[in-house]
Amino acid sequence: MTTRAVVRGVGHYLPDRVVPNSEFETMLETSDEWIRSRSGIERRHFAAEGQLTSDLATRAARAALADAGVDAGEIDTIIVATSTPDLTFPSVATMVQAALGMERGFAFDVQAVCAGFVYALAQANALIISGAATRVLVIGAETFSRLMDWTDRGTCVLFGDGAGALVLEAATGAGTSDDRGILATDLHSDGRFKDLLYVDGGTATGTTGHLRMQGKEVFRHAVEKLAETAHAALDKAGLTPEQVDWIVPHQANLRIITATAQRMQVPMENVVVTVQDHGNTSAASIPLAMSVGRQRGQIKQGDVLVTEAIGGGLAWGSVVLRW
C-alpha cells in the first residue's frame, strides 16, 4: 500500500474590485482589443487599500476548510506560495495560521513566483508521504497589483490579485495510477534566465520595486518548458495525455495556454481557463482555476488533472493528480 496526498477540499477568494480592460484606456496607450488579442484577459480583481496578501490567503483558506469539512485545528501544516508577502518576514503562512486560530503544527512560505503553487504542492506531497504531516493546507495568494509599473503597458494590464487553497490529506492507495491524490511531481529551475522576469526591488535597492518582463522570451520558454514538464510528470505517473481529463494551467496568457495544450495533444475543451476573468494572479492562479473549475462542474472526483506553471527564476514544474 502507498500513502497518497488526496484533495479533501478547495476554495478561493477574489477581491471585490473588478478592473475591466477599459479602465486602462484612460491611463495608457492601449485598448480592450489590444489586451484581449495578446493575452485573452478581459478583467481582473485588485485588492482594496489596506487589504493584504494574508487577508486574501485567509479567506481562501477558510473556504477550502469549509469545503473539506475540516477544522483549522486538524491541520498539521500551512504552506503559502506567494511573491507578494505582507512583510519581508514573518511568513504569510504564519499570519494565516494566527488568523485561523491554529496553535499547533507549522507554517511556511514558498517563493517560486508563478510556479509557486506547483512547488508548494510538491512540498506538501513530500510531507504527507514521509509521514511528517497528515493534513496540509496549501495556499497560493498574491497582490501583484502592488508591484506594477503603471506606465508599462506590456506588464501592468496582465496581472491581478486573488487567492486559492487546497486541503490535502493522507490516504492509502494501491500504488497505481488509479489511486486518488498526487501521482507525480516534476520541478525545475534555471537561474541563468533571471533577467527575463524579475522585480527590480528588494534589500539590494531598499525599495519594493516593479515587475520587469521580456514578454517574447518568456513566451518562448513557457511553451517549450511547460509541455516538457507536463509530459515528464505524466510519464512518472504512468499515464498518457489521452488519459488526462483536465489541464489546469497557470493562467498567464491564453496564447501560452493554447500552445501548451496543442503540444500536449490535449483539446482545449479539456483545459480549465479562467485567465479572462482573473488575469495573471501568479501563484494564486492554479488553485483559483481548480476552485472555479470545481464550481463550474468541470472537475469531478476521479478526474486526472495536470497542472503546470512557469515563473521568474526561471522556475517551472508540474503536478499530476487524480481528484
Side-chain angles (χ1 to χ4, degrees):
M1 305 300 281
T2 300
T3 300
R4 297 289 195 189
V6 174
V7 177
R8 176 83 177 264
V10 63
H12 72 275
Y13 174 74
L14 290 161
D16 292 335
R17 183 186 172 195
V18 178
V19 181
N21 290 341
S22 58
E23 190 165 321
F24 291 99
E25 296 175 355
T26 64
M27 53 190 279
L28 294 167
E29 186 180 341
T30 192
S31 67
D32 174 58
E33 191 279 330
W34 190 91
I35 297 169
R36 287 188 191 218
S37 65
R38 285 160 177 78
S39 68
I41 299 167
E42 301 174 20
R43 63 194 66 83
R44 74 286 291 147
H45 294 248
F46 283 172
E49 185 176 352
Q51 191 175 36
L52 305 175
T53 297
S54 63
D55 298 325
L56 275 57
T58 300
R59 295 284 291 266
R62 287 180 173 140
L65 289 168
D67 186 54
V70 171
D71 184 82
E74 299 175 81
I75 297 294
D76 301 310
T77 309
I78 299 174
I79 306 174
V80 175
T82 188
S83 297
T84 52
D86 301 4
L87 303 169
T88 301
F89 65 83
S91 67
V92 172
T94 55
M95 297 178 188
V96 174
Q97 182 185 32
L100 295 177
M102 176 182 157
E103 298 180 3
R104 59 184 293 275
F106 58 97
F108 62 95
D109 288 356
V110 169
Q111 206 275 56
V113 199
C114 299
F117 193 76
V118 169
Y119 272 57
L121 279 182
Q123 298 307 307
N125 183 57
L127 288 168
I128 286 174
I129 63 177
S130 72
T134 299
R135 292 188 188 89
V136 182
L137 178 58
V138 190
I139 306 166
E142 303 282 17
T143 49
F144 254 61
S145 63
R146 296 189 174 122
L147 296 177
M148 293 299 103
D149 176 353
W150 299 111
T151 66
D152 181 3
R153 72 170 187 168
T155 59
C156 72
V157 301
L158 301 177
F159 293 87
D161 304 335
L166 292 183
V167 176
L168 293 177
E169 183 177 79
T172 301
T176 72
S177 60
D178 291 329
D179 291 346
R180 286 186 63 205
I182 294 176
L183 302 176
T185 65
D186 185 67
L187 302 179
H188 303 270
S189 66
D190 192 333
R192 294 174 299 169
F193 299 113
K194 173 184 75 72
D195 291 341
L196 299 187
L197 178 57
Y198 66 100
V199 170
D200 59 2
T203 58
T205 64
T207 64
T208 300
H210 295 115
L211 184 143
R212 306 298 179 193
M213 179 172 67
Q214 298 181 37
K216 290 182 180 179
E217 283 299 301
V218 172
F219 182 96
R220 182 176 66 83
H221 281 282
V223 174
E224 173 187 335
K225 288 176 169 57
L226 291 176
E228 286 180 354
T229 186
H231 279 297
L234 282 168
D235 287 344
K236 291 178 183 179
L239 294 168
T240 65
E242 292 75 23
Q243 293 171 286
V244 174
D245 294 294
W246 296 103
I247 299 176
V248 187
H250 167 49
Q251 307 287 320
N253 181 303
L254 185 57
R255 292 189 298 151
I256 293 174
I257 293 170
T258 301
T260 303
Q262 288 174 345
R263 284 205 176 201
M264 290 182 63
Q265 298 182 318
V266 174
M268 283 299 292
E269 292 77 17
N270 296 89
V271 181
V272 177
V273 180
T274 61
V275 67
Q276 71 279 1
D277 297 321
H278 304 156
N280 183 346
T281 56
S282 189
S285 78
I286 287 173
L288 260 170
M290 286 180 171
S291 182
V292 170
R294 226 283 298 275
Q295 285 187 348
R296 289 174 180 167
Q298 293 173 299
I299 299 172
K300 299 178 177 65
Q301 184 169 315
D303 284 353
V304 173
L305 276 57
V306 176
T307 186
E308 25 81 353
I310 187 169
L314 291 173
W316 67 98
S318 59
V319 173
V320 176
L321 65 90
R322 187 178 294 278
W323 196 263

